[in-house]
Amino acid sequence: MKGVLMSGLRMSLCSTAIVAAVLSFSTTAQAQDQEEPQTLFTNVHVFDGVNEQRIENASVLVEGNLIKSVSTDAIDAPSAKVIDGGGRTLTPGFIENHAHLMLMGPSIAEMETNSTWEDFAIHGTRMAEMYLMQGFTTVRDAGGAGGGLRRAIDAGQIVGPRFYPSGAFLGTRGGHADFASFTSPPGGVTNFGTLNMAQQVNGVDEIYMYGRNNLRMGATQLKFMQSGGVISAFDPWQLLAGSKEEIEAAVQVANEYGTYVMAHSYRKEAIINALNAGVRTIEHGFHFDCEISALMKEKGAYITTNITAFDPGLLDVPSVKNNPNSLRKAKSASATFEAYIPSMKECPAPRGFQTDCVGSVEACNIQIAYEKHLNNHFFGPYASMVTLTSVGGEIAALSGDFMNPYPEGKLGVIEEGAYADILLIDGNPLEDFSVVGTGDQWFGADPRPDSPETIRLIMKDGVIYKNTLD
């Protein structure tokens, strides 16, 4: 009987302890909810990433890492840190949709034969910080980087933007992902292959293997190299690499993970083949026309284009000018792609911002500013701001419910429930686009500042990384 009583007593005490623990946890959780830090931006004009007109004389309340409220009325938040915007423009953080944070150059051959993982990692770390300080709170890496850089950023070990890596470039032997030395035999070991930065995939089975490995290693989407390039060694830009079955295999692997494929596509035939196979974003897409625009609309697809490719100075790039094969390819490509700008104006498609810089941090800083400048030059400030913000947010969301590392809120917009990725900018970028940090010169330009003076505040995920208002 005594044993039964003691057992009952122990059960009673245990139950009491459990109830106490639950109540304590509940109280703690409620306290934590109540203690989410708040930041209140007042006296700002809001470009929300979508609408052409700013929300004038507004306030924006951030709670934790999300936007809690956007209002033209006063917001009551007595415990919030108040930041007076002084009539500046509050915008979403910018989104870069096609970067290569790990590729420091100066050439593919140099990176293949004379670079170590330390070289790539150090460069990627510096690039990540540079992008954030230029106002980019999200970057999609279009090949060469895996999940490690994102883990370091998200853990606060290094400073950088939200990061959507593609893992290793996937492409055929002799195609745009073939970074091997000239004498390397088929299937030979390469530096890029060993580091899983680029993989030659020949046949459906290898696409299954390397595509799944990319996603296993932290990629948020897959990158398939369909067309050739200009500076690359073996591939004509007109290349139609990858059979229908191979491209569909990449799409199948992505679909298994609830994400998507981005395709490096120049020629019209390549773009159409990719879209019909289920590719969701066309990279570069220089042969874009109104027929492609209609097909993109039907498929719910996007395009990202490096507008610097249309700059006449491209022919003076040393790696182009001093290489007869590359110079010939560049001249041919420039003549063929001249209809892109008028076609995009006549039949616009959802277009994300792309820089596609491979090189030093300082050179990429200059190229980013020039890419911003050219977007405004060809398409005007409003279209350029949408390209830099909400379209990029929609592209990020294509990674789906499983592979999207940032599923709690929208990106690229200022609205209730969106991520608190915010810039405060002097002036009105819808009237004077230069305030976003543009540069009107590419080659021969002076070094750019670490961060544009006109971008006065940079917030990512509710955390302020720059504030020169005080």
Side-chain angles (χ1 to χ4, degrees):
M1 184 69 178
K2 181 179 178 181
V4 172
L5 289 172
M6 291 301 293
S7 176
L9 179 59
R10 283 195 297 269
M11 290 178 63
S12 177
L13 290 172
C14 182
S15 297
T16 302
I18 291 172
V19 170
V22 169
L23 290 174
S24 175
F25 176 81
S26 176
T27 302
T28 301
Q30 289 175 359
Q32 287 175 343
D33 288 342
Q34 294 169 357
E35 292 170 4
E36 283 273 34
Q38 293 183 328
T39 302
L40 178 61
F41 294 94
T42 62
N43 189 20
V44 292
H45 307 303
V46 176
F47 171 69
D48 63 5
V50 178
N51 294 295
E52 192 164 2
Q53 299 300 318
R54 298 184 305 176
I55 304 170
E56 302 288 325
N57 304 311
S59 295
V60 176
L61 178 63
V62 170
E63 185 172 270
N65 66 340
L66 301 175
I67 295 173
K68 186 175 178 63
S69 180
V70 180
S71 178
T72 53
D73 296 326
I75 296 176
D76 183 27
S79 62
K81 174 183 178 180
V82 178
I83 295 177
D84 185 346
R88 294 176 176 85
T89 301
L90 185 148
T91 79
F94 299 147
I95 299 176
E96 165 71 84
N97 290 282
H98 189 118
H100 297 290
L101 266 60
M102 289 295 190
L103 304 187
M104 79 290 285
S107 67
I108 292 172
E110 181 72 11
M111 289 187 286
E112 171 59 29
T113 61
N114 199 33
S115 297
T116 68
W117 66 266
E118 294 102 328
D119 298 318
F120 291 116
I122 291 168
H123 179 75
T125 299
R126 293 187 61 225
M127 284 285 284
E129 182 172 4
M130 182 273 287
Y131 258 108
L132 182 60
M133 290 299 100
Q134 293 301 312
F136 289 87
T137 52
T138 298
V139 168
R140 183 179 67 157
D141 194 284
L149 191 62
R150 185 186 72 239
R151 290 196 299 271
I153 293 170
D154 292 350
Q157 295 175 326
I158 62 175
V159 172
R162 301 181 191 275
F163 195 57
Y164 287 81
S166 301
F169 299 93
L170 303 178
T172 59
R173 174 73 172 177
H176 203 52
D178 183 353
F179 297 159
S181 301
F182 180 69
T183 56
S184 176
V189 175
T190 66
N191 192 32
F192 274 97
T194 299
L195 297 174
N196 199 48
M197 297 178 68
Q199 299 291 358
Q200 295 178 31
V201 289
N202 298 289
V204 167
D205 288 344
E206 290 194 352
I207 289 172
Y208 287 158
M209 177 172 64
Y210 286 113
R212 288 167 179 152
N213 187 61
N214 272 349
L215 294 166
R216 175 182 183 272
M217 299 301 290
T220 52
Q221 64 282 325
L222 299 179
K223 169 76 174 295
F224 191 86
M225 305 296 253
Q226 199 184 9
S227 294
V230 172
I231 299 176
S232 46
F234 314 119
D235 45 324
W237 67 259
Q238 299 94 335
L239 182 67
L240 290 174
S243 66
K244 176 177 181 289
E245 291 76 18
E246 288 172 320
I247 301 171
E248 288 176 344
V251 171
Q252 177 188 325
V253 172
N255 286 344
E256 292 169 0
Y257 285 77
T259 185
Y260 69 100
V261 174
M262 55 196 294
H264 169 101
S265 306
Y266 283 13
R267 278 178 62 180
K268 180 175 181 176
E269 295 90 336
I271 297 170
I272 290 175
N273 289 346
L275 291 171
N276 284 330
V279 168
R280 296 298 302 277
T281 75
I282 299 299
E283 306 305 303
H284 312 295
F286 297 133
H287 234 165
F288 175 88
D289 62 13
C290 290
E291 181 183 354
I292 291 171
S293 180
L295 184 59
M296 286 178 60
K297 183 176 181 180
E298 176 188 331
K299 301 291 186 180
Y302 295 79
I303 189 170
T304 82
T305 305
N306 44 322
I307 307 300
T308 47
F310 303 113
D311 187 272
L314 186 66
L315 300 179
D316 294 322
V317 177
S319 57
V320 174
K321 184 178 181 179
N322 300 330
N323 185 324
N325 183 47
S326 293
L327 183 59
R328 180 177 58 82
K329 289 199 291 182
K331 289 180 177 179
S332 169
S334 297
T336 306
F337 302 152
E338 59 186 10
Y340 176 96
I341 300 295
S343 294
M344 185 60 73
K345 290 179 178 179
E346 181 182 355
C347 310
R351 182 177 59 86
F353 184 86
Q354 180 196 143
T355 305
D356 192 33
C357 184
V358 174
S360 71
V361 175
E362 294 75 18
C364 287
N365 191 346
I366 291 170
Q367 188 172 335
I368 290 166
Y370 191 59
E371 183 70 36
K372 290 177 181 176
H373 165 78
L374 288 182
N375 268 268
N376 178 56
H377 173 72
F378 287 118
F379 299 106
Y382 169 64
S384 299
M385 286 297 291
V386 170
T387 293
L388 276 165
T389 56
S390 59
V391 174
E394 292 172 12
I395 291 173
L398 294 177
S399 55
D401 296 333
F402 315 133
M403 303 308 292
N404 187 350
Y406 313 106
E408 296 175 359
K410 280 186 175 183
L411 294 172
V413 292
I414 302 294
E415 64 179 50
E416 182 179 338
Y419 275 116
D421 293 359
I422 290 170
L423 307 179
L424 268 183
I425 302 175
D426 285 340
N428 181 358
L430 298 171
E431 295 177 352
D432 177 9
F433 195 71
S434 68
V435 298
V436 305
T438 64
D440 60 5
Q441 187 178 359
W442 187 7
F443 305 109
D446 292 332
R448 299 280 305 171
D450 292 338
S451 186
E453 293 181 3
T454 49
I455 299 180
R456 302 295 297 276
L457 181 141
I458 299 171
M459 170 183 278
K460 187 201 80 173
D461 208 39
V463 176
I464 295 173
Y465 289 85
K466 174 186 177 181
N467 184 0
T468 61
L469 295 175
D470 299 331

